[in-house]
């Protein structure tokens, strides 16, 4: 079994112990990560006995879970954990938070059903207060995961894995924790930087009686109850200077900590009449990597948050300024690391739909574009699953809204379960008008998008300037097998090389001869495939276990210094 170096240091009684929500930090926190009892059975009735143990938040299919069992579409996965609140923990109300549970989760406390959440990549919580008992309490989570047998969002998981599709996983895969609030409390804040207006806005949910304190470093620069705060002579956020303002919200007896960055993502036309992506009102080239966020020992779940930081800092040290988070919603700490380290993020919505066919594998290469209002074309015939897609999209955007690093929302990738993309675009613009939207990454562009978004692996890359910025949202995929550092004996890559020397030469030629020269012709962003190997895919700049960098990082940095708009 391929493992990362971080797995050996895991505390199985308290894995991933860090506070999981840096964008909204309460002083109330009790981690429920660690060893839970579990049971897999074929019906929905709650088990009388739990015969196994699992290390939460690692999925049962993974090595780090300690269970190493596959949960199939006909299985029911049950978790059980007992806990006792410390004296003084309960300030009035108590909630349990789940970072993500794949795919449908029903939660019980002391035998009482609290509710059900559908969607394997977005967070949810339930209030426990009314069903708490003095002393020991029992929490049970029941999970169903249909993977690719239904049209729900599933990401790159497939029961019959292989190629660009990865091993299926299920259940709890992000942190679980308890927090307590007063009876009346500040539920959430939406922070909106207004770059052109030199101010920042705060929109509160739960209470409007909020005092906000803003700090520039250690210096208090604002203490007010206003919902819009002027920031004359502010310091802007950018990859070159990822400066963040710290902020405190005092409400209903609590102090909640957060931060924000003053930046503006937009599209416009440069002085040569070329449509461009803009950062802080200036043309800015987004130079990044496709980032799947998978690990051989934890799959979607990192063995430690240090492992996530390692990937981000590798990209930064290599001279990239952007990561496209591909078909996954990460734990909030990942976005915090991007905020702090100055990495722009393109965030994908997670794909769903039925079995993909000619609409993604053949027709795009024949120049045939399908109308995504016909649900049969893209195998998106399940009305419930289509409705759930929009629910999850709204949950994702609201969840990540306060992350300064996010520049682009990608709604559909390569026609995977694509439908009603025009409506999806309009919905996103209502939820968040301050970011760029790539509606159809790769192909099947219905004309409603902020960019022209192309995936080019097999044909010559030739930029064709249009009315929207032209972004190469996937390309490259140059593969190299490193013996002893692969998931299995299979190999997928768009072009295969025998050693690091030939791979490095091919990478350098690709950028020097194709990417860099076409920036002046209108190329506005480039997303190289990819950051790391993943299972069969051996086209990463690092091996799957992150042990070996396949291309010299100094060489990467030297090339990336030229990848910019002059």
């Amino acid at each position: 079994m391929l493992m990362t170096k971080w797995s050996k240091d895991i505390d199985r009684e308290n894995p991933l112990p860090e506070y999981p929500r840096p964008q909204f930090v309460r002083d109330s926190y009790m981690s429920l990560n660690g060893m839970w009892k579990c049971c897999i059975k074929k019906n929905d009735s709650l088990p009388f006995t739990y015969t196994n143990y699992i290390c939460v938040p690692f999925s049962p299919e993974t090595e780090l879970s300690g269970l190493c069992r596959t949960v199939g579409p006909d299985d029911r996965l049950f978790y059980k954990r007992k806990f006792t609140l410390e004296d003084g923990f309960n300030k009035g109300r108590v909630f349990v938070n789940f970072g993500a549970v794949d795919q449908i989760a029903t939660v019980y406390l002391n035998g009482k059903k609290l509710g059900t959440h559908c969607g394997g990549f977005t967070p949810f919580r339930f209030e426990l207060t009314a069903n708490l008992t003095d002393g020991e309490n029992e929490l049970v989570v029941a999970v169903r995961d249909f993977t690719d047998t239904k049209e729900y969002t599933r990401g790159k998981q497939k029961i019959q894995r292989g190629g660009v599709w990865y091993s299926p996983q299920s259940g709890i895969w992000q942190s679980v924790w308890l927090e307590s609030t007063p009876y009346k409390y500040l539920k959430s804040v939406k922070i909106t930087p207004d770059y052109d207006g030199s101010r920042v806005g705060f929109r509160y949910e739960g209470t409007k009686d909020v005092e906000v304190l803003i700090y520039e470093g250690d210096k208090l620069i604002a203490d007010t109850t206003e919902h819009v705060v002027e920031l004359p002579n502010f310091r802007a956020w950018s990859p070159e200077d990822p400066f963040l303002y710290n902020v405190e919200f005092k409400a209903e007896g609590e102090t909640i900590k957060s931060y924000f960055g003053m930046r503006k993502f937009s599209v416009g036309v440069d002085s040569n009449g070329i449509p461009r992506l803009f950062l802080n009102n200036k043309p800015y080239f987004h130079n990044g990597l496709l980032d799947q966020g998978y690990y051989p020992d934890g799959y979607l779940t990192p063995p430690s948050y240090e492992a996530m930081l390692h990937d981000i800092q590798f990209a930064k040290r290599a001279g990239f300024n952007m990561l496209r988070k591909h078909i996954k919603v990460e734990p909030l700490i990942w976005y915090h690391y991007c905020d702090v380290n100055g990495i722009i993020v393109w965030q994908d919505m997670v794909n769903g739909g039925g079995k993909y066919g000619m609409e993604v594998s053949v027709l795009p290469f024949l120049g045939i574009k399908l109308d995504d209002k016909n649900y049969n074309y893209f195998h998106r015939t399940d009305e419930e699953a289509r409705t759930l897609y929009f629910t999850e999209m709204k949950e994702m955007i609201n969840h990540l809204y306060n992350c300064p690093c996010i520049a682009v929302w990608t709604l559909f990738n390569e026609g995977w379960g694509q439908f009603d993309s025009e409506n999806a675009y309009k919905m996103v613009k209502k939820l968040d008008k301050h970011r760029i939207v790539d509606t159809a990454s790769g192909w099947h562009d219905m004309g409603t998008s902020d960019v022209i978004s192309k995936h080019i692996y097999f044909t010559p890359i030739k930029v064709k300037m249009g009315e929207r910025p032209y972004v190469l949202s996937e390309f490259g995929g140059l593969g190299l097998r490193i013996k002893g550092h692969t998931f299995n004996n299979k190999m997928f890559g768009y072009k295969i090389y025998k050693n690091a020397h030939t791979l490095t030469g091919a990478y350098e030629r690709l950028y020097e001869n194709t990417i860099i020269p076409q920036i002046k012709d209108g190329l506005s962003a480039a997303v190289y495939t990819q950051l790391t190997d993943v299972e069969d895919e051996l086209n990463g700049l690092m091996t799957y276990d992150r042990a070996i960098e396949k291309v010299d990082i100094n060489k990467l940095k030297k090339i990336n210094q030229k990848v910019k708009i002059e």
Side-chain angles (χ1 to χ4, degrees), residues 161 165-167 299 487-488 533-538 544:
R161 58 155 303 282
W165 307 107
Y166 309 149
S167 299
Y299 294 1
F487 183 77
N488 55 29
D533 295 346
V534 185
E535 298 199 355
D536 295 0
E537 293 187 62
L538 302 185
Y544 197 13

Side-chain angles (χ1 to χ4, degrees), residues 41-47 76 78 108 142 144:
K41 56 199 296 280
K42 295 294 185 182
N43 61 62
D44 293 324
S45 61
L46 295 180
R76 281 75 167 169
F78 295 88
Y108 303 82
R144 290 290 305 272

Side-chain angles (χ1 to χ4, degrees), residues 98-348:
F98 294 86
V101 181
D102 192 13
Q103 188 173 48
I104 301 171
T106 302
V107 182
Y108 303 82
L109 179 68
N110 298 325
K112 174 70 174 180
K113 179 180 176 181
L114 302 180
T116 298
H117 179 267
C118 297
F121 290 81
T122 51
F124 61 96
R125 69 174 186 163
F126 293 114
E127 184 169 359
L128 307 182
T129 314
N131 299 295
L132 285 170
T133 62
D134 294 334
E136 195 171 64
N137 291 271
E138 182 178 273
L139 192 66
V140 171
V141 183
V143 179
R144 290 290 305 272
D145 185 4
F146 296 101
T147 312
D148 58 336
T149 64
K150 288 187 179 291
E151 295 187 14
Y152 302 135
T153 53
R154 59 181 178 270
K156 300 195 76 174
Q157 303 173 68
K158 192 174 182 180
I159 292 175
Q160 299 297 324
R161 58 155 303 282
V164 302
W165 307 107
Y166 309 149
S167 299
Q169 66 175 90
S170 55
I172 299 170
W173 66 273
Q174 288 192 30
S175 288
V176 185
W177 79 98
L178 303 177
E179 66 180 349
S180 184
T181 70
Y183 283 106
K184 186 179 180 182
Y185 68 102
L186 180 61
K187 295 181 180 179
S188 65
V189 180
K190 273 195 170 181
I191 306 175
T192 304
D194 180 356
Y195 187 92
D196 294 335
S198 299
R199 57 193 177 186
V200 60
F202 304 100
R203 192 169 73 194
Y204 304 117
E205 180 185 5
T207 178
K208 295 182 179 179
D209 185 16
V210 180
E211 178 186 5
V212 57
L213 291 78
I214 300 175
Y215 294 85
E216 184 173 351
D218 295 328
K219 181 182 178 182
L220 178 66
I221 61 171
D223 183 350
T224 181
T225 57
E226 297 293 325
H227 289 203
V228 177
V229 181
E230 304 294 330
L231 292 176
N233 304 313
F234 65 83
R235 184 172 168 183
W237 182 97
S238 70
E240 293 73 28
D241 182 20
F243 181 78
L244 298 168
Y245 288 88
N246 292 318
V247 58
E248 294 180 353
F249 303 104
K250 295 183 180 294
E252 309 298 338
E254 288 188 297
T255 298
I256 299 165
K257 296 181 180 180
S258 187
Y259 63 88
F260 63 89
M262 292 297 294
R263 86 292 178 263
K264 177 184 177 183
F265 296 115
S266 59
V267 298
V269 178
D270 69 14
S271 59
N272 295 315
I274 299 174
R276 295 289 191 189
L277 303 180
F278 277 58
L279 171 62
N280 299 337
N281 292 329
K282 295 179 181 179
Y284 192 88
F285 195 92
H286 292 207
N287 177 30
L289 297 167
L290 197 70
D291 181 5
Q292 314 275 4
Y294 270 75
Y295 304 85
D297 39 15
Y299 294 1
L300 287 171
T301 310
S304 75
Y305 291 134
E306 183 184 347
M308 294 195 304
L309 180 60
H310 170 272
D311 287 359
I312 291 166
Q313 290 183 336
F314 168 84
K316 187 72 175 182
R317 287 188 294 112
F320 296 98
N321 60 31
M322 175 263 282
L323 291 170
R324 179 183 170 195
K325 182 48 61 177
H326 195 37
I327 317 296
K328 180 190 179 186
V329 180
E330 289 282 6
L332 278 169
I333 290 179
W334 185 86
Y335 301 92
H336 174 68
Y337 290 153
C338 290
D339 293 335
V340 170
N341 285 277
I343 289 287
I344 294 170
V345 172
W346 291 17
Q347 176 63 49
D348 288 10

